[in-house]
Amino acid sequence: MTPRARLLLFAAGAAGTFALFTAGVLGLPAFGGASHPYADRAVREAVRQGTPNAVASVTFDQRAFDTLGEELILLAAALGAVVLLRAVAGERRGAAHRHGPAEVPDALRVTGCLLLPLTLVAGVYIVAHGHQSPGGGFQGGVVLGTAVHLLYLAGDYPALRRLRPVPVLESAEAAAAATFTLLALAAAGQAATGRVPALNGAVGAEVGCALVVLVAKFFDQALLVHGAARTREGPA
């Protein structure tokens, strides 16, 4: 595709998006007014469906297919990173891929190791109680996915590699996305009451695994580049 054709395609998409956005904005209530039709309906539906957390009700009861789209976008991003950043045999042979613990202050190492289990517990709590209190699967999944990398900040990359087996997490991410899809389809046309905790769990697993896989691929690529550069430079 030529640059001119790409520009025309982008202009057509941008014009359509702008038209839809403008139509949506013009249909909103006046800013600062007393009328909040969507909020009133969302809260009323949350109470009717028995979901204590109105935000979770909106996410899973009232717009589950939107949430499904968001999950699939994250799945596609993780899959794209796996494909684009995969290391070929030549790269692995030319790079020093084994790295021992980094030289970091003892205080940072101890702090990272102590915070790791606490952060993991906090992430599980946020996922498990997302239907009752602020939080949910996506937020808890982000906490879980980033908590694992406290080991990297503590300077123990070998321990991080043992803690996050990437092939297993890739399979778990796909399984969690499939589980969420099946639950969302099963809840189509009816209230998802009773399914919200399961949906939260599926989202938390998918988001957490996706983040770990994404960061792992970027780490591996950075280490390959660093190892290849050191190989070219030769021993100091």
Side-chain angles (χ1 to χ4, degrees):
M1 184 181 292
T2 64
R4 180 179 178 82
R6 288 198 297 267
L7 182 60
L8 291 175
L9 181 61
F10 168 77
T17 302
F18 180 76
L20 290 174
F21 181 79
T22 302
V25 170
L26 293 178
L28 292 176
F31 181 76
S35 175
H36 305 284
Y38 183 81
D40 294 339
R41 294 172 184 171
V43 174
R44 184 169 59 249
E45 285 299 308
V47 173
R48 184 182 67 82
Q49 295 170 351
T51 305
N53 184 357
V55 175
S57 176
V58 171
T59 302
F60 297 116
D61 290 332
Q62 302 172 36
R63 49 176 291 268
F65 286 111
D66 291 345
T67 304
L68 175 61
E70 296 168 1
E71 298 306 307
L72 294 180
I73 289 173
L74 184 57
L75 176 64
L79 179 61
V82 170
V83 173
L84 294 175
L85 299 179
R86 68 188 186 280
V88 299
E91 286 180 319
R92 291 197 179 279
R93 284 196 299 267
H97 198 60
R98 294 184 178 274
H99 294 262
E103 293 295 331
V104 299
D106 291 337
L108 179 59
R109 190 182 302 277
V110 172
T111 301
C113 293
L114 290 177
L115 287 179
L116 174 60
L118 296 177
T119 310
L120 289 175
V121 171
V124 172
Y125 178 89
I126 293 172
V127 173
H129 293 80
H131 63 294
Q132 296 177 330
S133 59
F138 199 99
Q139 295 86 339
V142 171
V143 174
L144 291 172
T146 53
V148 174
H149 294 92
L150 286 171
L151 280 177
Y152 179 78
L153 297 180
D156 199 346
Y157 187 71
L160 172 62
R161 294 188 63 189
R162 293 192 298 270
L163 183 64
R164 51 136 178 84
V166 174
V168 175
L169 292 174
E170 289 173 349
S171 300
E173 180 196 6
T179 299
F180 183 87
T181 302
L182 293 175
L183 289 171
L185 292 175
Q190 55 181 314
T193 305
R195 296 191 180 94
V196 174
L199 290 166
N200 256 328
V203 171
E206 198 275 335
V207 171
C209 291
L211 285 178
V212 173
V213 170
L214 281 171
V215 176
K217 292 303 176 182
F218 282 108
F219 276 172
D220 287 346
Q221 189 70 15
L223 291 173
L224 285 171
V225 172
H226 178 68
R230 293 187 62 182
T231 301
R232 289 193 299 268
E233 294 172 359

